[in-house]
Amino acid sequence: MAIIEQKTIPLNGDEAVAYAVKQSDVDVVAAYPITPQTIIVERFSEYVANGEVDTEFVCVESEHSALAASLTASLTGARAFTATASAGLALMHEMVYVTAGCRAPVVMAVTNRALSAPINIHCDHSDVMAERDSGWIQLWAENAQEVYDSIIQAFRIAEHPDLMTPVMVNLDGFFLSHTLENVQVLPDNVVRKFVGIRQYPLVSDTQGKKVPFKLDPDFPLTMGPLDLPDYYFEHKRQQEEAMHIAPKIIKQVHDEYAKLSGRSYGNGFVDAYNVDDAEIVTVCLGSTAGTTKTVVDQLRSKGIKAGVLRVRTLRPLPVEDIMRALENKKAVAVLDRSNSVGGQGGPFFHEIRHVLYGAQSHPPIVDYVYGLGGRDMPPALIQNIYKDLEEIAKTGKVKNLVQFAGVRE
Amino acid sequence: MSQQPKGWKEISIAGVCWKPATDYHTGDWRSFKPVRDPKKCTKCLLCHIVCPDAAIQWNKETQDIEFNYDFCKGCGICANECGAKAIVMVQEGGE
Amino acid sequence: MITIKELTEKPELFTAGHRACAGCGPAIALRQIMKALRGPTIVTEATGCMEVVSTIYPYTAWNVPWVHTAFETAAANASGIEAALKVLKRKKRITHEHVDVIALAGDGGTYDIGIQALSGAAERGHDFLYVLYDNEGYMNTGIQRSGGTPLGASTTTSPAGTVIPGKTQHKKPIADIMVAHDIPYVATASIGYWQDLMAKVRKGLEVEGPAFLHVMAPCPRGWRSDTAKTMEISRLAVETCVFPLWEAVNGEYGLSPISKAIALKPDRKKPVEVYLKMQRRFAHLFQPKFQHIIKEIQDDTDKRWNRLLKKCNIPQVAVSKT
C-alpha cells in the first residue's frame, strides 16, 4: 500500500488531539476544562459549534463526571473520548479504575501536569503515574505529530474486541500541548476508514445466550455488579490477560498505520535512538526525548557512545524490549519527571530497574528526578547526566542512586 | 450441591452477570410464613403490588393468587395490608 | 388508570431472588417503578442498597440493561447513556425509536455524594428520569446518617446518646432543590400510594428533559420498624405531612390527590407522633428529656407543609393539634 498524500498544518499538541478526535468518528466526548488540556475541549467545541463533527459533546461539571459519562456512553456502544490533566485526573481516579474494570474502551488524552500542592499548572508526570496500575494502556508521545498519530491508533487499540481496554495518550503539558509544530494529517476519509465502526465482543447473558457487550434493550445485560471474593479476582485476572495480548494489537495497529502514513515510532513500544552500540544510555518518557536526542548527537560527534531509549508504552510495559536494549550497557540513567516521595527514586525508575533484574547482566542504573512542576530540562543538564554515566561506566561504581537534576540546593 | 466456581477463562469480561436472581432462593430466610385463606380472599391483588420480593403472583390458568415460597422472606406486609384479613403469618416449623 | 390485575401481567423487570432485607421499602419501590415503564429502558444505578442486593455476581435481578459504576455517578452515567443513545440513533447504529433512561440512587447517592453530578446533569438538560429512593440513611453500610436523615433519628453516626438526641439537623429539601433547577418535572411519591407513584414515573419518563422523582421508601432495618409495617409507615409519612405528595410541572407546584385531601380537610392531618412511634430510631424522643424534639419535628413539619401549601396556592390552614 502506498503512503497516503497528506497535508501539513500547524497544530500544537492539544490541537493535534482535537483534530485527531474530529477525524475519528467519535460519538460522545464528555470533558471538563483544565489547564493545560483546555485547548483540546475548546477546539473540539468549535468543531461541534460549526457542525464539523457528528458528536454529542457533554460539557460536564467535573472530571469525575467526565469519565463517568464517557464510560457509560462507551458501554452503551458509543465511541467515547475524554481529556484531562493533573487535578482533573486525580479527581477521576476512582473512575479510571472503574472504566478499566468495566472494560469500556474509552480513549483519554492526558496533558501531563504537576499535582498540587503547591498548585502548579506546568508539566510533570506525577498525575499519570498515580494511574499506572489502573488497567489502562498508556501511550506516550514525543511531539505533536505523535500525539495526532497515537490518538487515532488509540481508538483501534482500545476497541479491539479481544482487548476492550481503555487507552490514555500522554502528552507533556505546555512543552507539547502549547507548542506549535508542523503536523502531517491524513485525509478525513482515510482516518475514518482506519478507525472503522465499533465492533462488540460477545458475552453470556442470564439465558446462556451470546450477546453483544453493550447496554441494549434487545439484549438486557447487567454490568458493574457487586463482585465478591468468589469472582472479583477472576475479573482482575482477565484484565491482566488483556494486557498480555495488547502488544500484538498495538503492534498490528502501529504497523498498519505506518504503512498508511509513513510514520512509525520505534517498534511501537520503545523508540531506541543510537542505543544498539551505545555504552551509556538514558531512558525517558515524552518530550524530553527530543532534547536528549540532540544531546546524544552532540556526544556522538565527540565519539562518545551515547544513546537514549524512549518508552512509548508504559502499559503494557515492554519488558523484553527494554531488557534487550539495556542489559549490555555500561551505565544507564532513568530520567523521571515525577517522584515517588520516600520510595528511592521515581516510579519510572522503579519500572526500569525492575525490568533489569531479569536481564542477563545488570548494568549500573541510576535515577534523575527532573523537571517537576515544569522546571526546564536544558541540554546542559542532560549533558551532565551523560557525564555522570561516563564516570559510572569507567568505575563501575554508583555514588548516588537517585539525584535531583535541576533543583537548587 | 454447590458447583465449582468458574475460572477466569470461562466467564465473560467485565463482570457481566450470567445467572438470573431467580436461581437464588431467598425463601429459607423466612421465620414466618404467610398463609392465605381462599375463602376470605377477594383476589383484589393488592398483595401483589406491595410484596418486596415479587413472591405473590396471579396464576392465569387457575385464576388464583399464588405465593411463591421460594422467594417469600416472610416480612408480613401482605398480611398487614390485606383488607379482607385473608392472610395470617404462621411460624415456620410449627404445625 | 391501570388495575392491579393488569399489572400482574406486566413482566417483573426487577425480579424475585434479590437479597434485600425482609420488608424492604426500596425493593417495593423498584418493583412499582419497573412496572410503570413505557418501553425500552436502560437503568443505571448508584452504589447502594438496591445495587448491592440486586446484582450479586453472577446473579442479577434485572431484566433490563442495567449498569452501575460508582456511588456519586448515577446522574453522570445517565448523561453518558443518553448522549450515546442520541448520537447512535442519529447515525442509525441503533434501531430503537426511543430508549428511556432511568438513574436510580439512594439518599446518600443523591443528597450527599451524588448531588454535584445530579445538579450538572439537570442543568445540561439530559432527557432522563432520576429516581431517588429515600430510606433516610446509609443503610447498606450499617445505618449512618445522610443529608436525607430526619431530625431526631438515631443512626450509627448520629446515635441517640445521653446528651445528644440523635440527628440534630433537618432533612435537606432535595426535591425543592431540584425544582430550583428549573427542570420540567419534579415530584414526590410514596410506595404507600402505588398508583400515584406509577403515574409519576410515567410522567417523568414522558417529559422531555430531566425529571426527578423523590420516593419515600422505609427501611425496617434502619428505622427499627416492624417489617410488616413498611407500607403503613409510608402512608403515615404522607398523612402526617412529614412527606407530602406533590409535583412541580415546569416549576408550578401542585398537591397530589392524597395530600390535597388533607389540605382541604385539615383534621385529616395526623400528628407526627403516630409516625415517629412506629420507628424505634425515634424511640429516645419519647423520654421526657428529649420530648421537645418531637415538638420541634411537628413545628418543622407544619412550617414546611404551610410553605408547600403556599407554593401550591392553597390557603393556609390551622396547624394540627398535637
Side-chain angles (χ1 to χ4, degrees):
Chain A
M1 189 172 19
I3 290 167
I4 305 274
E5 200 176 317
Q6 297 161 68
K7 61 178 176 181
T8 301
I9 55 174
L11 295 173
N12 64 36
D14 275 357
E15 288 171 332
V17 171
Y19 200 92
V21 174
K22 176 178 87 155
Q23 294 183 306
S24 297
D25 189 21
V26 174
D27 299 312
V28 175
V29 172
Y32 185 82
I34 181 170
T35 305
Q37 156 266 32
T38 341
I39 304 168
I40 300 174
V41 272
E42 288 173 348
R43 286 299 164 274
F44 199 79
S45 301
E46 286 168 19
Y47 296 144
V48 174
N50 296 329
E52 292 179 61
V53 286
D54 190 4
T55 303
E56 280 297 310
F57 177 52
V58 188
C59 200
V60 287
E61 80 298 331
S62 77
E63 287 89 354
H64 197 281
S65 289
L67 191 49
S70 304
L71 157 62
T72 50
S74 179
L75 293 177
T76 310
R79 175 167 294 147
F81 172 83
T82 188
T84 192
S86 181
L89 186 58
L91 183 61
M92 275 182 185
H93 178 72
E94 178 189 26
M95 302 316 293
V96 172
Y97 276 71
V98 175
T99 302
C102 282
R103 307 299 290 274
V106 174
V107 171
M108 170 158 69
V110 180
T111 309
N112 302 112
R113 164 185 151 183
L115 288 175
S116 300
I119 190 168
N120 173 292
I121 59 165
H122 293 276
C123 176
D124 75 32
H125 299 157
S126 43
D127 55 0
V128 74
M129 286 303 170
E131 310 304 335
R132 233 181 358 161
D133 305 330
S134 61
W136 285 58
I137 289 168
Q138 283 197 16
L139 304 181
W140 288 71
E142 181 183 332
N143 49 45
Q145 182 70 62
E146 189 178 0
V147 169
Y148 169 81
D149 296 333
S150 297
I151 290 281
I152 294 168
Q153 293 175 26
F155 290 108
R156 277 278 300 274
I157 297 166
E159 294 170 7
H160 194 290
D162 295 342
L163 210 47
M164 298 299 287
T165 298
V167 178
M168 279 179 204
V169 176
N170 290 280
L171 61 151
D172 284 341
F174 292 102
F175 297 115
L176 293 188
S177 65
H178 287 59
T179 305
L180 211 58
E181 295 179 41
N182 279 328
V183 176
Q184 284 198 303
V185 296
L186 291 160
D188 290 353
N189 63 333
V190 172
V191 176
R192 220 179 155 85
K193 196 171 160 222
F194 182 82
V195 294
I197 291 172
R198 251 195 85 177
Q199 306 295 310
Y200 311 100
L202 297 178
V203 293
S204 293
D205 71 3
T206 55
Q207 309 305 315
K209 253 191 343 221
K210 293 282 183 191
V211 302
F213 177 65
K214 61 179 174 132
L215 295 166
D216 184 337
D218 290 340
F219 317 101
L221 289 176
T222 291
M223 300 186 187
L226 170 66
D227 209 6
L228 296 173
D230 58 348
Y231 274 107
Y232 176 88
F233 204 171
E234 276 66 31
H235 292 121
K236 291 293 130 185
R237 176 66 184 83
Q238 290 178 329
Q239 283 181 253
E240 188 61 37
E241 187 62 14
M243 282 291 179
H244 286 312
I245 61 168
K248 197 182 99 196
I249 292 154
I250 293 170
K251 177 98 186 125
Q252 185 189 315
V253 172
H254 172 266
D255 292 354
E256 192 185 321
Y257 188 87
K259 275 187 201 146
L260 209 63
S261 66
R263 289 184 295 278
S264 57
Y265 300 97
N267 63 357
F269 307 100
V270 295
D271 172 16
Y273 188 75
N274 282 334
V275 169
D276 278 355
D277 67 336
E279 291 174 350
I280 52 174
V281 176
T282 61
V283 191
C284 69
L285 291 162
S287 65
T288 302
T291 325
T292 312
K293 284 173 183 174
T294 310
V295 172
V296 165
D297 287 345
Q298 291 164 358
L299 296 173
R300 285 276 170 173
S301 70
K302 291 181 202 156
I304 298 164
K305 288 190 165 177
V308 53
L309 183 74
R310 179 175 72 88
V311 175
R312 182 173 182 253
T313 58
L314 188 65
R315 285 291 180 276
L317 187 68
V319 172
E320 284 297 315
D321 292 321
I322 296 170
M323 204 192 294
R324 296 286 93 83
L326 301 180
E327 63 186 351
N328 296 316
K329 304 308 169 196
K330 289 189 173 163
V332 174
V334 175
L335 310 184
D336 236 314
R337 200 160 208 143
S338 59
N339 188 24
S340 167
V341 183
Q344 204 179 46
F348 191 44
F349 179 54
H350 299 159
E351 298 277 330
I352 304 300
R353 204 175 184 218
H354 137 73
V355 167
L356 284 181
Y357 193 84
Q360 298 281 332
S361 61
H362 304 125
I365 180 165
V366 289
D367 190 31
Y368 292 85
V369 174
Y370 76 99
L372 300 190
R375 179 64 51 84
D376 206 9
M377 180 69 150
L381 215 50
I382 301 171
Q383 283 158 7
N384 285 345
I385 290 168
Y386 277 107
K387 234 177 246 167
D388 289 354
L389 285 183
E390 282 183 82
E391 182 65 22
I392 294 168
K394 211 187 304 170
T395 62
K397 284 199 180 107
V398 170
K399 267 190 249 161
N400 298 301
L401 188 69
V402 181
Q403 294 188 67
F404 296 85
V407 74
R408 293 181 301 277
E409 291 299 324
Chain B
M1 76 170 236
S2 66
Q3 287 171 319
Q4 186 70 16
K6 294 189 182 194
W8 65 266
K9 292 178 185 170
E10 301 169 278
I11 51 176
S12 297
I13 57 166
V16 171
C17 292
W18 46 273
K19 274 189 179 180
T22 45
D23 280 6
Y24 187 90
H25 292 176
T26 52
D28 57 1
W29 299 9
R30 192 174 55 238
S31 47
F32 286 89
K33 177 180 182 170
V35 178
R36 185 178 64 109
D37 180 347
K39 276 180 271 169
K40 286 189 186 169
C41 177
T42 63
K43 299 182 184 176
C44 76
L45 282 163
L46 182 67
C47 51
H48 167 77
I49 200 68
V50 300
C51 174
D53 296 297
I56 308 172
Q57 299 289 342
W58 177 249
N59 186 326
K60 256 183 152 174
E61 271 147 45
T62 60
Q63 286 289 300
D64 204 359
I65 290 167
E66 270 178 12
F67 282 48
N68 189 333
Y69 293 108
D70 283 346
F71 300 112
C72 169
K73 293 166 189 160
C75 68
I77 290 177
C78 53
N80 195 65
E81 294 302 308
C82 179
K85 305 267 174 249
I87 304 169
V88 288
M89 300 303 290
V90 178
Q91 185 135 27
E92 285 284 352
E95 287 309 304
Chain C
M1 188 160 285
I2 194 162
T3 64
I4 304 188
K5 190 73 161 284
E6 285 160 346
L7 285 180
T8 62
E9 284 162 18
K10 289 192 167 238
E12 299 284 349
L13 298 175
F14 176 71
T15 73
H18 65 73
R19 293 181 233 182
C21 308
C24 172
I28 300 171
L30 291 197
R31 278 198 65 225
Q32 295 178 353
I33 291 162
M34 297 309 287
K35 289 227 173 205
L37 302 190
R38 60 170 182 166
T41 305
I42 296 175
V43 175
T44 182
E45 187 159 5
T47 310
C49 284
M50 289 300 97
E51 169 261 332
V52 164
V53 302
S54 64
T55 65
I56 299 181
Y57 186 87
Y59 298 94
T60 176
W62 295 95
N63 273 333
V64 291
W66 180 100
V67 63
H68 155 263
T69 68
F71 200 172
E72 62 277 56
T73 48
N77 289 347
S79 307
I81 294 166
E82 187 251 14
L85 290 169
K86 238 198 262 181
V87 63
L88 291 175
K89 189 186 155 200
R90 206 158 62 218
K91 293 184 180 178
K92 297 190 171 40
R93 288 177 192 161
I94 51 172
T95 50
H96 295 100
E97 190 47 41
H98 182 80
V99 178
D100 283 323
V101 180
I102 296 179
L104 293 172
D107 46 294
T110 305
Y111 286 85
D112 295 348
I113 199 167
I115 195 168
Q116 174 179 319
L118 172 59
S119 179
E123 181 267 332
R124 292 190 299 274
H126 296 281
D127 186 14
F128 75 116
L129 169 65
Y130 188 104
V131 179
L132 152 64
Y133 65 89
D134 189 357
N135 58 9
E136 303 197 320
Y138 294 89
M139 303 319 192
N140 182 41
T141 44
I143 315 160
Q144 291 86 25
R145 61 90 86 188
S146 78
T149 304
L151 177 73
S154 180
T155 73
T156 54
T157 51
S158 63
T162 52
V163 183
I164 298 176
K167 194 185 170 196
T168 54
Q169 299 84 11
H170 288 283
K171 190 177 172 81
K172 199 194 276 188
I174 190 76
D176 291 319
I177 292 170
M178 293 317 295
V179 176
H181 280 72
D182 205 6
I183 57 176
Y185 189 74
V186 176
T188 64
S190 162
I191 54 169
Y193 299 93
W194 59 271
Q195 281 166 313
D196 180 69
L197 184 150
M198 291 174 73
K200 285 169 174 170
V201 169
R202 202 37 101 75
K203 278 190 198 172
L205 292 171
E206 279 165 2
V207 295
E208 283 195 24
F212 181 83
L213 185 60
H214 181 179
V215 179
M216 175 66 110
C219 166
R221 181 73 190 82
W223 294 16
R224 313 281 191 214
S225 56
D226 183 344
T227 59
K229 304 286 186 187
T230 298
M231 299 298 283
E232 208 176 314
I233 292 170
S234 300
R235 287 192 298 270
L236 274 175
V238 178
E239 289 161 5
T240 54
C241 299
V242 164
F243 191 79
L245 301 185
W246 52 268
E247 57 184 6
V249 181
N250 294 318
E252 296 296 325
Y253 280 78
L255 285 181
S256 304
I258 179 68
S259 288
K260 195 163 187 182
I262 295 169
L264 298 177
K265 291 205 168 163
D267 56 329
R268 286 195 189 174
K269 179 165 173 277
K270 295 183 178 168
V272 295
E273 262 179 69
V274 297
Y275 171 68
L276 303 178
K277 247 184 200 153
M278 294 184 75
Q279 307 166 47
R280 288 203 354 272
R281 62 175 173 159
F282 295 117
H284 56 286
L285 300 184
F286 292 89
Q287 300 169 31
K289 64 173 173 180
F290 289 149
Q291 272 193 359
H292 63 282
I293 303 291
I294 296 181
K295 183 169 183 311
E296 206 181 310
I297 294 171
Q298 183 66 62
D299 289 348
D300 183 61
T301 301
D302 295 342
K303 186 184 78 185
R304 291 186 191 218
W305 171 243
N306 287 328
R307 200 187 280 159
L308 177 64
L309 293 178
K310 230 186 247 175
K311 287 180 193 165
C312 297
N313 289 320
I314 291 175
Q316 288 216 13
V317 290
V319 171
S320 75
K321 46 211 175 297
T322 47

